[in-house]
Amino acid sequence: MSSRKTIHLVIFGIGNVGSTLISQINASKERLQSQLNLNIEIPVVTNSKLVFFNDEGDIDTWETNFKKFSVPFDVSDIITFVKEQQYENVIAVDATASADLVKNYISLIENGFHIVSANKLANTLHYEFYDGLRLALKKHKKSFLYETNVGAGLPIIETIRNLYDSGEEIEKIRGVFSGSLSYVFNTFSSENKTFSKVLTKASHLGLTEPDAREDLSGNDVARKLLILARELDLNVEFQNVKIQSLVPKNLNGKTSLHQFKTRIKELDQPFLERKDALSKNQVLRYVGELNVAEKRLEVKLISEEKQSALGQLKGSDAIFEIFTKSYGAQPIVIQGAGAGKEVTARGVLSDIVKLSNHIN
């Protein structure tokens, strides 16, 4: 039996995903030790402004300790603490949506941190930063895992990367990338309800962002599509994605969230017209589509046959179709929960365990 390996996590962000991740690590600790000979310690936990340095290593009471003992911080303070403690096998876990934290990735890498991230921004900023980050990883022999950037807990990036690295020619990727918009259009297409009622219910269920226009704009789907395109070594930028926003111009721009909510019924007529134009065997789906040969990235609302993989989608599932030269007209299909704190946190933990296997 080899000696037990200890991994030290610095968790940035203790919102839904971060706090759920800590709970999952606590619940899995004995199994990870017995089955994988892996011990996970969490010596540092932060929110956007405060940090708790947990040098005693007890994570069962981290919430209470965070409230009592957290202090303002800068990322350089965390780097100094980790060096003083002489921790080895350190992983920075980004469970935020912070652009400021992403700017510190290279500094973290240069100071010995690996990175696991649920934050999409590092992979969707301008290509110069994207490329520079990977050069830093290579130079300092560090790893950066981000499976949850596209499909929450679904193995989308890993599958595409494995196919591509093996020499498979990937021709097209398409699918319903957004769990929230999956629910909206699955429900709207199958039930006799107005679009505004379906959208309001999705919001009450916690499936959309607090401002549903964040989902309806298509920007989140576009970011996921951009990430997949870059996995295939396409030098593309966010502005190269053609996005069909579902937010009417009269409800966008300077319209406040309160105004949007009071005028939400203005969405009903245009979507009803689109629904009425469908044949009996069609449904509406909001999809992302990447044509690799043409370097064409599109986010759009389409009519889809009910019998197709996209047409049969239920609930808030995401679905990805990967078309390759070897598989021909029959795509590889990956389907499942594409959003939610539990599956996202589980995906982050999966990346942590995967990375730990490669750390000496």
Side-chain angles (χ1 to χ4, degrees):
M1 180 76 75
S2 61
S3 59
R4 180 169 291 165
K5 181 186 293 183
T6 296
I7 302 295
H8 295 94
L9 303 184
V10 174
I11 298 184
F12 292 94
I14 48 174
N16 287 336
V17 174
S19 58
T20 303
L21 172 64
I22 296 173
S23 297
Q24 290 179 354
I25 291 170
N26 269 329
S28 304
K29 200 156 191 176
E30 288 186 12
R31 183 184 59 80
L32 291 170
Q33 288 175 349
S34 62
Q35 294 185 10
L36 300 180
N37 224 13
L38 177 65
N39 184 47
I40 296 180
E41 301 289 344
I42 308 177
V44 183
V45 178
T46 88
N47 63 15
S48 60
K49 297 179 180 178
L50 302 173
V51 63
F52 168 52
F53 293 111
N54 182 21
D55 46 10
E56 293 183 4
D58 183 8
I59 59 174
D60 292 326
T61 57
W62 74 269
E63 288 178 282
T64 302
N65 289 332
F66 189 90
K67 290 175 183 176
K68 287 183 178 180
F69 305 117
S70 58
V71 294
F73 79 99
D74 185 84
V75 171
S76 61
D77 300 327
I78 292 172
I79 292 171
T80 299
F81 173 80
V82 167
K83 286 186 174 181
E84 287 175 348
Q85 298 296 318
Q86 297 184 325
Y87 291 135
E88 294 182 341
N89 306 332
V90 184
I91 302 174
V93 178
D94 184 356
T96 76
S98 169
D100 289 334
L101 181 56
V102 166
K103 293 173 185 175
N104 287 283
Y105 277 16
I106 291 178
S107 177
L108 288 166
I109 291 163
E110 289 172 344
N111 284 280
F113 291 69
H114 300 274
I115 298 176
V116 169
S117 181
N119 185 346
K120 301 180 188 69
L121 291 178
N123 288 318
T124 57
L125 293 175
H126 52 83
Y127 198 84
E128 184 180 353
F129 175 85
Y130 181 91
D131 195 43
L133 177 60
R134 279 146 180 83
L135 288 173
L137 290 163
K138 186 175 181 180
K139 179 180 178 181
H140 297 279
K141 298 180 181 179
K142 298 301 172 188
S143 296
F144 173 36
L145 299 186
Y146 44 88
E147 185 64 66
T148 55
N149 276 199
V150 175
L154 298 175
I156 308 304
I157 292 172
E158 181 180 29
T159 301
I160 287 169
R161 194 76 230 177
N162 287 343
L163 287 167
Y164 183 65
D165 287 346
S166 70
E168 179 61 88
E169 186 176 331
I170 297 175
E171 298 171 337
K172 184 170 72 172
I173 302 169
R174 71 192 291 261
V176 174
F177 290 18
S178 165
S180 56
L181 293 182
S182 176
Y183 173 85
V184 168
F185 285 105
N186 294 346
T187 305
F188 181 65
S189 293
S190 62
E191 297 183 14
N192 188 24
K193 292 181 179 178
T194 62
F195 189 82
S196 60
K197 283 187 177 179
V198 174
L199 186 62
T200 301
K201 185 178 179 182
S203 180
H204 288 161
L205 291 171
L207 294 174
T208 69
E209 295 294 330
D211 186 341
R213 289 175 295 182
E214 293 288 328
D215 301 285
L216 296 172
S217 70
N219 289 340
D220 183 61
V221 177
R223 290 188 191 99
K224 293 174 182 178
L225 199 61
L226 177 63
I227 290 168
L228 295 184
R230 287 177 168 181
E231 288 299 306
L232 301 177
D233 290 334
L234 297 182
N235 187 342
V236 286
E237 302 285 359
F238 184 80
Q239 57 264 32
N240 297 133
V241 187
K242 184 179 178 182
I243 305 170
Q244 180 187 356
S245 173
L246 303 180
V247 184
K249 289 182 180 179
N250 59 315
L251 293 178
N252 208 339
K254 297 180 180 179
T255 310
S256 69
L257 176 57
H258 175 72
Q259 289 173 318
F260 173 70
K261 287 183 175 180
T262 58
R263 296 171 57 188
I264 194 171
K265 289 185 178 179
E266 293 178 30
L267 294 169
D268 291 343
Q269 188 58 35
F271 282 105
L272 179 61
E273 290 174 3
R274 186 70 189 260
K275 183 177 177 179
D276 286 344
L278 298 173
S279 72
K280 189 185 297 185
N281 296 318
Q282 289 182 321
V283 288
L284 292 172
R285 295 291 182 261
Y286 194 61
V287 303
E289 186 170 301
L290 165 64
N291 183 308
V292 180
E294 298 177 12
K295 291 176 65 172
R296 189 175 72 245
L297 295 81
E298 292 183 273
V299 178
K300 55 190 176 182
L301 185 63
I302 65 168
S303 307
E304 185 73 17
E305 295 299 315
K306 288 182 179 178
Q307 296 87 350
S308 71
L310 270 64
Q312 294 180 42
L313 204 59
K314 303 293 182 186
S316 58
D317 276 6
I319 187 169
F320 300 82
E321 295 183 317
I322 306 166
F323 294 84
T324 74
K325 186 173 183 180
S326 297
Y327 286 80
Q330 193 69 27
I332 299 167
V333 178
I334 300 173
Q335 179 180 342
K341 63 181 183 180
E342 294 287 343
V343 292
T344 303
R346 188 65 66 187
V348 171
L349 181 52
S350 176
D351 273 351
I352 291 167
V353 173
K354 193 186 308 176
L355 178 51
S356 72
N357 291 332
H358 300 291
I359 294 177
N360 293 323

